[in-house]
C-alpha cells in the first residue's frame, strides 16, 4: 500500500533533509515533487493543490524549532497537513440512542459490502456489542446466502431474509427481532447495483426513513481511486452518509481515494478493509496513515494488533508452565495459533518504522508453515502431545500420514519444539518477550 507514493516522497525529502538551511527555492522544488507524487497517486487535483499551498505557507513562515533540522521541519509540516487532509483524528461509530442501533451499509455491487458486514460484526462483538447481520439485498439470492454463510462462520446471528420480502419490511422485522432477542446493533447489508441508479436510491431513502440508522456507511473499493470519491459524493447527496469504509486497501490501490475522500466529500473515512478475511478491518486513523505514507511506520497500529492477539493471562500461565518444564506440544500449538491470530506477519512487520517495503516483498515468510504445524500436532494423541519423548518411528509415520506430511516434517517440528523449549527457558521473564522468541523461524 502506498509504496510508490512513499518512495517518491522520500526521495523528495532526502534532498531537503541533508541541508543545514533551506531557501524558498529549495522548499518550492521539494514541494513540486510532493505535488507530483500526490497526483500520480490519484489524489484529487484540487485537494493536492490546496494541501501543497497550505504546506508552503507554513513551511515558509515557519517558526524555528531547535530540535528539528529545517528539512525535518518541512516533513513534520507535510505530516500535519496530510493528517488534516484525512480528517485529523479517528472518527468512530456513533451507536448511542436507538436500541437496537442500526449500521446501514450502502455501496455499489462488488465494493465489499457483504464482506464488510461480517468484518464489522466481528469487530463490534470484540467491543462487547451483540451484532445482528441483516441481508437486505433481495435481488440477488447469492447475496443473502453469502451473508448467512459468513454469519455461520463467525457464529453471528443472521436475520432469515428471503427474496420474496420487501427490503424495508426486512429491516423493520429485523429491528423487532433484534429488540426481542437482545441484539443491540443491526448491520444492514443493502442491495448494490453496478451503477448509481434512481430506484436503488429511492429504496435506500425508504429504509433510512423507516429505521433511522445510527450510521450510514458507504463501502467503496479503494482500487477505483477517484471513482470511489465520486460515488461517495452521489450517495451522500441522495441518501446521506455518516462515514466511509474503503475496502481493498491491501491491493495495489495508489492511495488517492484514502487521501482525498474526506477533503472532497466532507465525510470521514472510518474503517479500511485490508484483505478478504473477516479480521482484515482496521479503524482508520489519519495520523497513523500519514505516518505510514511518510515511511515513519505505523507503530501504534502494530502495538494495538499485538495487544489484541496476546492474551496476557494465557501468557502468564504459559510462563509458569515453562518454568516448571511443563510446556507441551499442545501449548506450542496454541502459541502458534496466537501468533497466527495477529494476522499476516508481513503486514505486521510492514507497520514497523524503518522497514523497507521492497525488502519485505523479497522476504519469504511461509505462513502455510503454521497450518502444517497445527495439522501435525492435531494428528498426535493427547499422550504424545504431552510427552513428545514417546514419539518414535512408527508413531511418526502414523502422524505424518494423518496430517498429510512427510516424516521429515514431523522430525523438523519436533526439533523446532525442543529448540524452542531450550530457548524460552532463557527468556522466561516478560510475556511478550518470550513469545517473540518462540517463533520457530
Ligand atoms: P458486495 O457485492 O459489495 O457485497 O461485495 P463482496 O463483499 O461480495 O466483495 C466483493 C469481493 O471483494 C469479494 O471477492 C471479497 O472477498 C473482496 N473483498 C472485500 N473486501 C476486501 C478487502 O478489503 N480486500 C480484498 N483484497 N478483497 C476484498
Amino acid at each position: 500500500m502506498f509504496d510508490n507514493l512513499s518512495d517518491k516522497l522520500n526521495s523528495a525529502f532526502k534532498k531537503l533533509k541533508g541541508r543545514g538551511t533551506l531557501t524558498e527555492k529549495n522548499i518550492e522544488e521539494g514541494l513540486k515533487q510532493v505535488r507530483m507524487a500526490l497526483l500520480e497517486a490519484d489524489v484529487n487535483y484540487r485537494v493536492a493543490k490546496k494541501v501543497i499551498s497550505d504546506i508552503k505557507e507554513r513551511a515558509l513562515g515557519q517558526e524555528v524549532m531547535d530540535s528539528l533540522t529545517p528539512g525535518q521541519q518541512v516533513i513534520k509540516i507535510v505530516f500535519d497537513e496530510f493528517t488534516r487532509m484525512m480528517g485529523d483524528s479517528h472518527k468512530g461509530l456513533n451507536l448511542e440512542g436507538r436500541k437496537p442501533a442500526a449500521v446501514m451499509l450502502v455501496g455499489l455491487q462488488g465494493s465489499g459490502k457483504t464482506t464488510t458486514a461480517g468484518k464489522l460484526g466481528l469487530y463490534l462483538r470484540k467491543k462487547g456489542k451483540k451484532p445482528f447481520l441483516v441481508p437486505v439485498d433481495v435481488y440477488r439470492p447469492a447475496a443473502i446466502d453469502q451473508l448467512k454463510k459468513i454469519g455461520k462462520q463467525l457464529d453471528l446471528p443472521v436475520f432469515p431474509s428471503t427474496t420474496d420480502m420487501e427490503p424495508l419490511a426486512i429491516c423493520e422485522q429485523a429491528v423487532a427481532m433484534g429488540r426481542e432477542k437482545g441484539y443491540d446493533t443491526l448491520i444492514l447489508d443493502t442491495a448494490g447495483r453496478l451503477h448509481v441508479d434512481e430506484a436503488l436510491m429511492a429504496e435506500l431513502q425508504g429504509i433510512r426513513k423507516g429505521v433511522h440508522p445510527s450510521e450510514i456507511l458507504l463501502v467503496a473499493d479503494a482500487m477505483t481511486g477517484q471513482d470511489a470519491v465520486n460515488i461517495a459524493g452521489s450517495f451522500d447527496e441522495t441518501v446521506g452518509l455518516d462515514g466511509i469504509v474503503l475496502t481493498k486497501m491491501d491491493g495495489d490501490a495508489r492511495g488517492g481515494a484514502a487521501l482525498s475522500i474526506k477533503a472532497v466529500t466532507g465525510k470521514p473515512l472510518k474503517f479500511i478493509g485490508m484483505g478478504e478475511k473477516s479480521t482484515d478491518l482496521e479503524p482508520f486513523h489519519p495520523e497513523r496513515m500519514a505516518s505510514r505514507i511518510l515511511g515513519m511506520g505505523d507503530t501504534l497500529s502494530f502495538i494495538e494488533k499485538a495487544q489484541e492477539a496476546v492474551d496476557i493471562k494465557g501468557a502468564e500461565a504459559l510462563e509458569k508452565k515453562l518454568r516448571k518444564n511443563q510446556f507441551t506440544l499442545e501449548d506450542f500449538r496454541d502459541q502458534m495459533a496466537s501468533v497466527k491470530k495477529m494476522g499476516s506477519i508481513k503486514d505486521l512487520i510492514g507497520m514497523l518504522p524503518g522497514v523497507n517495503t521492497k525488502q519485505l516483498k523479497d522476504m519469504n515468510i511461509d505462513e502455510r508453515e503454521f497450518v502444517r504445524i497445527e495439522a501435525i500436532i492435531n494428528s498426535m494423541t493427547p499422550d504424545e502431545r504431552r510427552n513428545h519423548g514417546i514419539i518414535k518411528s512408527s508413531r511418526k509415520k502414523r502422524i505424518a500420514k494423518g496430517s498429510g506430511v512427510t516424516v521429515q516434517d514431523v522430525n523438523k517440528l519436533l526439533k523446532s519444539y525442543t529448540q524452542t523449549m531450550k530457548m524460552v527457558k532463557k527468556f522466561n521473564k516478560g510475556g511478550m518477550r518470550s513469545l517473540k522468541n518462540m517463533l520457530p523461524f
Side-chain angles (χ1 to χ4, degrees):
M1 183 175 53
F2 299 130
D3 285 356
N4 239 329
L5 176 60
S6 292
D7 287 351
K8 295 246 161 63
L9 291 173
N10 278 322
S11 78
F13 293 153
K14 220 181 237 161
K15 288 184 199 140
L16 295 178
K17 264 194 234 166
R19 295 174 193 270
T21 53
L22 285 179
T23 63
E24 190 169 336
K25 194 160 161 269
N26 296 148
I27 293 175
E28 278 192 357
E29 269 166 17
L31 291 183
K32 208 163 139 191
Q33 283 186 43
V34 174
R35 181 165 163 271
M36 288 298 293
L38 288 176
L39 292 177
E40 275 175 35
D42 197 24
V43 169
N44 175 285
Y45 176 77
R46 280 188 314 262
V47 173
K49 199 168 154 190
K50 171 84 171 58
V51 76
I52 294 298
S53 94
D54 289 350
I55 295 170
K56 192 152 50 182
E57 197 175 303
R58 282 187 59 191
L60 292 177
Q62 73 183 247
E63 60 290 4
V64 183
M65 281 179 278
D66 288 340
S67 53
L68 300 177
T69 67
Q72 285 170 331
Q73 287 188 39
V74 175
I75 297 169
K76 167 82 170 60
I77 293 169
V78 174
F79 169 78
D80 288 348
E81 292 300 322
F82 275 20
T83 305
R84 198 163 73 162
M85 169 168 69
M86 291 187 281
D88 281 319
S89 59
H90 171 61
K91 307 287 185 300
L93 295 177
N94 171 23
L95 301 174
E96 300 308 314
R98 266 172 202 278
K99 287 223 158 61
V103 178
M104 179 174 170
L105 301 181
V106 301
L108 298 188
Q109 199 171 310
S111 58
K113 261 190 317 308
T114 309
T115 313
T116 303
K119 289 177 176 176
L120 261 184
L122 189 66
Y123 172 84
L124 289 171
R125 185 171 63 196
K126 276 193 196 150
K127 298 258 164 213
K129 295 275 182 196
K130 292 207 168 84
F132 188 24
L133 304 178
V134 186
V136 194
D137 186 352
V138 294
Y139 311 101
R140 290 189 310 137
I144 298 183
D145 293 343
Q146 192 189 342
L147 194 59
K148 286 183 178 166
K149 202 168 134 201
I150 291 175
K152 205 164 182 189
Q153 275 165 3
L154 301 176
D155 197 21
L156 287 170
V158 183
F159 181 81
S161 311
T162 51
T163 48
D164 54 357
M165 296 172 84
E166 288 288 328
L168 179 57
I170 291 179
C171 298
E172 286 168 346
Q173 288 178 30
V175 170
M177 190 183 272
R179 196 170 290 141
E180 190 189 309
K181 301 207 169 187
Y183 304 139
D184 53 25
T185 318
L186 268 55
I187 300 174
L188 311 177
D189 183 21
T190 65
R193 301 279 159 89
L194 293 174
H195 307 283
V196 173
D197 85 34
E198 270 178 34
L200 178 66
M201 292 299 174
E203 178 179 309
L204 299 176
Q205 282 165 341
I207 296 174
R208 171 178 201 148
K209 286 196 193 108
V211 298
H212 302 285
S214 308
E215 285 277 336
I216 301 184
L217 300 180
L218 174 83
V219 178
D221 179 345
M223 309 274 279
T224 62
Q226 286 308 302
D227 276 350
V229 178
N230 295 335
I231 291 161
S234 10
F235 272 85
D236 190 34
E237 253 168 47
T238 45
V239 188
L241 297 176
D242 298 297
I244 294 155
V245 182
L246 270 183
T247 62
K248 309 185 197 178
M249 293 279 287
D250 51 311
D252 48 6
R254 283 178 290 164
L259 279 160
S260 37
I261 210 157
K262 167 68 173 60
V264 176
T265 65
K267 300 296 166 171
L269 184 48
K270 294 195 170 180
F271 291 93
I272 50 177
M274 296 293 291
E276 298 188 84
K277 290 199 302 290
S278 48
T279 45
D280 295 333
L281 184 77
E282 288 181 16
F284 180 74
H285 290 270
E287 72 288 3
R288 296 186 196 174
M289 187 56 75
S291 84
R292 261 193 218 182
I293 294 171
L294 298 182
M296 300 169 173
D298 187 358
T299 319
L300 288 176
S301 289
F302 173 80
I303 292 170
E304 219 170 56
K305 269 213 153 172
Q307 275 173 343
E308 224 176 67
V310 177
D311 149 21
I312 298 293
K313 280 225 171 70
E316 279 166 6
L318 201 66
E319 302 281 354
K320 241 185 226 152
K321 284 187 175 176
L322 286 170
R323 266 197 293 274
K324 292 189 187 160
N325 267 344
Q326 290 168 345
F327 180 71
T328 66
L329 276 159
E330 252 160 25
D331 299 317
F332 185 68
R333 180 193 58 196
D334 296 346
Q335 211 50 30
M336 285 288 133
S338 90
V339 174
K340 204 168 75 184
K341 221 168 69 188
M342 283 168 79
S344 158
I345 305 200
K346 268 195 197 182
D347 287 353
L348 278 176
I349 300 176
M351 285 178 186
L352 293 173
V355 176
N356 178 327
T357 40
K358 278 215 185 71
Q359 259 172 6
L360 199 61
K361 269 190 204 141
D362 300 336
M363 241 163 98
N364 187 19
I365 299 174
D366 188 359
E367 290 183 34
R368 281 169 308 184
E369 185 67 19
F370 281 134
V371 181
R372 205 153 38 222
I373 291 173
E374 266 187 328
I376 298 175
I377 298 178
N378 286 343
S379 285
M380 295 175 183
T381 65
D383 271 352
E384 288 165 348
R385 285 180 213 145
R386 267 171 238 134
N387 181 12
H388 70 283
I390 63 171
I391 308 179
K392 299 282 183 303
S393 99
S394 69
R395 286 179 189 255
K396 280 180 192 166
K397 269 191 210 141
R398 194 206 74 241
I399 294 166
K401 206 165 163 223
S403 51
V405 301
T406 62
V407 170
Q408 280 96 318
D409 289 330
V410 177
N411 282 332
K412 205 170 115 198
L413 163 69
L414 290 172
K415 195 169 161 210
S416 117
Y417 163 70
T418 43
Q419 274 175 350
T420 303
M421 273 194 21
K422 268 187 223 146
M423 201 156 57
V424 292
K425 268 186 220 148
K426 290 189 207 151
F427 291 96
N428 56 7
K429 269 193 187 142
M432 241 339 246
R433 201 150 46 119
S434 38
L435 197 80
K436 263 192 278 174
N437 286 296
M438 278 180 208
L439 285 172
F441 39 76

